[in-house]
Amino acid sequence: MTVTIDPDASFLDSALADLATYTDDSFDGWTREVLSDPYRASREVVANRMRQAGMEVHIDAGGNVVGRLPGRAAASGVNLKPLMTGSHTDTVRNGGRFDGIVGVLGAIEAVEALRRAGIELERDLVVVDFLGEEPNEFGISCMGSRSMAGVLTPEHLELPGTSGITLGKALERYGVDPNRALKNSWGPDSVHAYIELHIEQGPMLERAGTQIGVVTAIAGIDRLLARFTGRADHAGATPMDARQDALTCAAAAVLAVEREGCGAPVHGVATTGRIEAFPGSFNVVPQEARIYAELRSTDAAWLNGAKRRVADEIAAEAERRGVAQMVEWLTDQDPVPTTPALRDHIAAASGDLGLSWMAVPSGAGHDAAHMVHMGPMGMIFIPSVGGRSHCPEEFTDTRDIVEGVRVLAATLVRLDRTDKIAA
Ligand code: GLV
Ligand code: MN
Ligand code: MN
């Protein structure tokens, strides 16, 4: 007998709309930044939805909302490694309603859909709403998944934020004990598999008219802060050839970053997200400037080369302009391939359901990149309309979310029935 797993479109619609009401109204679009009041309130809603779906829920030492659906094996005293799925519910400032949220609410609906289909898993299924996946004022992303994976470090806790306190202090004020967050590791080989459902956030699936993306790898990210120190002078009286303009030097660096992205042979992108100049007056040649930029690729060799080339170009241009410069690399995250056996399972589940699928790289970062420390890891993408994300226009059709949840649930069933997943 074929069992049909039927995710409920109206639940997904109303749960997404409900979570979207938890937003900081002082910004456009949807803004639910980690550690903010709307974020704290919204996670109560997530925890309650997990409970309604029959999960035991707790907040772990890393501030993650963790729901556990006990499997059949546990009831008969057999200890099996759990399956895990999840994502995040924080947003970027002026962001959208789907990035991360689909993976959390979709996982909860997968649990409901399995129950309605009469399918009980042998293994426990753990659903996680990870704390703060998006980069924050402390320059760190994926705080909760890092904590669970054991890669949150004391150095991270010392990172200063723009509001003048360290990450450790901010976590403490939010109610997460930073010292416990450092000791939250599940350890290697602790989960049978981790699967994350996420919107693509780019245009590839839509362009190809394909329903499901089987993620091949999550891009590595190198973030840099470049500081330029020139000389303040009168903007009217100082000849153009007698200036040490920190801002034009920073502008040249912005273009050097862009050139690297444009020259990437396979998958590579480069972005400057912020530029600052001081003293910031019309009539003063800028004395200080800073840029905040990042390079991303699934190709580690390109990423390493690009990192070196950008630093060299910045140094050479600064020297030419008589400006002092300092490049600081803030974070580096290597590219993380997904586990080949899990790609096969996701592709097979999609095929069984009659859905079109294709292999895609992820240019975006994800909690999944850290979950790889705990066991096999895979990701399912669904289309983003117009490829838009990290903006209010971010949108994914409910029909696509339903199919994504169906693939997630079917993949979990397949994995539950697979004894050993090849690394
Ligand atoms: C997270 O969304 C990232 O890719 O920056
Ligand atoms: Mn995001
Ligand atoms: Mn995300």
Side-chain angles (χ1 to χ4, degrees):
M1 188 186 69
T2 335
V3 179
T4 315
I5 301 170
D6 238 340
D8 180 352
S10 60
F11 167 85
L12 288 163
D13 264 345
S14 68
L16 280 160
D18 179 31
L19 215 60
T21 62
Y22 294 82
T23 180
D24 181 341
D25 288 326
S26 45
F27 297 102
D28 285 341
W30 285 271
T31 302
R32 196 167 50 248
E33 292 177 291
V34 67
L35 312 185
S36 67
D37 289 341
Y39 182 65
R40 183 195 292 280
S42 73
R43 297 181 99 219
E44 288 285 326
V45 175
V46 172
N48 278 334
R49 291 211 181 268
M50 287 179 178
R51 282 187 198 101
Q52 281 155 13
M55 287 178 255
E56 299 155 0
V57 182
H58 73 284
I59 310 288
D60 76 2
N64 303 301
V65 181
V66 181
R68 183 181 280 260
L69 182 76
R72 281 207 305 221
S76 37
V78 179
N79 196 11
L80 293 177
K81 279 189 278 184
L83 287 161
M84 187 181 277
T85 182
S87 196
H88 62 100
T89 52
D90 60 316
T91 73
V92 293
R93 195 168 287 182
N94 303 335
R97 289 163 292 166
F98 300 86
D99 171 5
I101 297 139
V102 158
V104 175
L105 298 177
I108 296 171
E109 178 49 21
V111 167
E112 298 271 24
L114 287 171
R115 182 182 42 73
R116 286 194 300 270
I119 300 172
E120 272 186 85
L121 301 176
E122 286 298 316
R123 297 170 186 276
D124 287 7
L125 174 59
V126 179
V127 176
V128 189
D129 175 8
F130 292 105
L131 181 79
E133 186 268 358
E134 301 290 359
N136 52 34
E137 60 162 303
F138 308 94
I140 172 176
S141 49
C142 299
M143 293 194 293
S145 48
R146 283 178 200 265
S147 158
M148 200 181 250
V151 292
L152 187 74
T153 64
E155 290 73 38
H156 288 137
L157 298 179
E158 292 308 317
L159 288 168
T162 47
S163 52
I165 59 169
T166 61
L167 172 61
K169 196 78 205 156
L171 284 174
E172 203 175 305
R173 285 190 188 166
Y174 184 73
V176 172
D177 176 340
N179 294 317
R180 285 188 62 224
L182 293 177
K183 299 190 190 104
N184 189 35
S185 170
W186 280 43
D189 227 9
S190 50
V191 298
H192 186 54
Y194 173 82
I195 300 280
E196 181 166 344
L197 171 66
H198 206 283
I199 57 167
E200 183 199 343
Q201 308 184 266
M204 278 185 282
L205 293 174
E206 187 183 67
R207 279 187 191 164
T210 300
Q211 291 161 295
I212 298 293
V214 178
V215 177
T216 52
I218 300 170
I221 309 177
D222 282 318
R223 293 206 165 106
L224 71 98
L225 162 59
R227 299 171 204 266
F228 302 90
T229 308
R231 201 183 64 194
D233 276 306
H234 195 293
T238 313
M240 295 307 286
D241 65 358
R243 297 177 176 211
Q244 288 162 260
D245 181 336
L247 181 54
T248 49
C249 199
V254 172
L255 296 177
V257 167
E258 186 194 38
R259 267 195 306 280
E260 270 309 320
C262 293
V266 187
H267 172 259
V269 286
T271 310
T272 301
R274 186 157 137 205
I275 185 162
E276 295 167 347
F278 309 92
S281 309
F282 278 117
N283 61 354
V284 183
V285 175
Q287 172 160 344
E288 304 276 343
R290 293 185 208 143
I291 65 164
Y292 297 76
E294 58 163 49
L295 309 166
R296 296 194 188 204
S297 179
T298 50
D299 176 347
W302 179 81
L303 207 49
N304 280 335
K307 196 171 165 182
R308 185 179 29 79
R309 285 190 299 274
V310 163
D312 288 352
E313 278 200 60
I314 289 176
E317 184 66 16
E319 191 175 345
R320 204 177 69 71
R321 291 173 180 269
V323 168
Q325 58 82 33
M326 198 173 76
V327 171
E328 192 183 339
W329 294 96
L330 299 177
T331 49
D332 58 342
Q333 157 86 50
D334 290 335
V336 181
T338 53
T339 306
L342 292 197
R343 291 178 214 156
D344 293 346
H345 278 289
I346 296 167
S350 307
D352 287 350
L353 292 165
L355 300 170
S356 55
W357 63 270
M358 64 189 268
V360 287
S362 172
H366 297 288
D367 293 303
H370 300 289
M371 290 299 100
V372 82
H373 295 289
M374 291 161 47
M377 177 278 284
M379 286 196 77
I380 303 163
F381 274 180
I382 50 175
S384 292
V385 171
R388 306 288 310 278
S389 184
H390 280 185
C391 57
E393 293 79 10
E394 178 179 276
F395 188 74
T396 292
D397 197 292
T398 310
R399 281 167 299 191
D400 290 326
I401 302 176
V402 164
E403 296 308 356
V405 174
R406 212 191 298 277
V407 173
L408 172 65
T411 306
L412 290 169
V413 172
R414 291 178 67 96
L415 296 171
D416 188 51
R417 295 173 184 171
T418 305
D419 277 346
K420 182 91 190 118
I421 298 167

